[in-house]
Amino acid sequence: MRSHFVTVSSDLLNWDQLRQHIAFFCEKQQISQELMLQLQLVCEEWFINIITHGYQKNSKEELSLSEILFQISYNSADDEILIYFIDSAPAFDPLQQETPDVALSAEEREIGGLGIYLIKQIMDCCTYQRVDECNHLKLYKKIKLESIESK
């Protein structure tokens, strides 16, 4: 299994740093551009969710001290990518959130929940645990052979 780890403070400005780590990892693993963009979208949704909802009541100083641990791994034996976020925001299990009714128009639908819906649609499996006062979200994606670029 090949993995890449990074820890960033909970500041939206760090999204670009995280995005670059995902791009670097995908390039090293020869993962297709299409899949890389999907993974970046999923990670952006969750990263922004952690900061805007999880740490929304924190002061600027507390935000700079709050960290988000991020891991992306590729297991070639299982042809699977694992994305793993750990944060110390208040407990929030995204898998227990009600699925928005996407058949409704934007005007009829309640605000919120589309990011989590998107994550569940793109990824094959999502797990959540609360461990030692931290949120642990694992996102799994089986990759198809065409998602690996041949060189």
Side-chain angles (χ1 to χ4, degrees):
M1 180 182 298
R2 293 168 236 149
S3 297
H4 185 81
F5 300 89
V6 65
T7 301
V8 295
S9 65
S10 58
D11 187 325
L12 290 174
L13 294 174
N14 289 327
W15 163 243
D16 191 54
Q17 179 187 355
L18 194 57
R19 184 186 60 75
Q20 290 177 22
H21 281 283
I22 297 164
F24 174 77
F25 179 82
C26 289
E27 183 177 318
K28 287 286 237 184
Q29 304 309 315
Q30 301 177 346
I31 293 170
S32 72
Q33 174 100 7
E34 180 183 352
L35 181 55
M36 179 197 70
L37 291 172
Q38 288 180 351
L39 297 175
Q40 286 178 330
L41 179 61
V42 163
C43 291
E44 182 178 16
E45 286 293 334
W46 191 245
F47 183 76
I48 290 173
N49 195 37
I50 293 169
I51 294 169
T52 58
H53 299 294
Y55 292 122
Q56 67 181 344
K57 293 180 180 171
N58 287 18
S59 68
K60 219 172 191 174
E61 185 176 296
E62 288 171 321
L63 280 176
S64 67
L65 297 174
S66 301
E67 294 182 329
I68 298 171
L69 283 70
F70 171 81
Q71 174 188 350
I72 184 168
S73 303
Y74 172 56
N75 183 339
S76 58
D78 294 335
D79 285 330
E80 188 172 68
I81 292 176
L82 165 64
I83 293 173
Y84 189 10
F85 281 96
I86 302 174
D87 67 80
S88 59
F92 178 74
D93 182 353
L95 307 179
Q96 297 302 314
Q97 303 307 304
E98 200 169 301
T99 302
D101 186 350
V102 294
L104 296 174
S105 69
E107 294 79 25
E108 297 171 311
R109 196 173 40 239
E110 288 189 32
I111 295 174
L114 285 177
I116 294 169
Y117 173 79
L118 178 75
I119 290 169
K120 289 178 180 176
Q121 291 298 306
I122 292 175
M123 303 307 283
D124 294 313
C125 179
C126 307
T127 65
Y128 169 85
Q129 286 185 301
R130 183 78 176 169
V131 179
D132 295 332
E133 306 213 8
C134 290
N135 297 301
H136 291 248
L137 182 68
K138 292 181 178 179
L139 309 168
Y140 299 89
K141 179 74 176 175
K142 285 279 189 194
I143 58 174
K144 299 173 186 151
L145 210 49
E146 61 268 15
S147 296
I148 300 293
E149 296 178 341
S150 58
K151 292 199 173 185

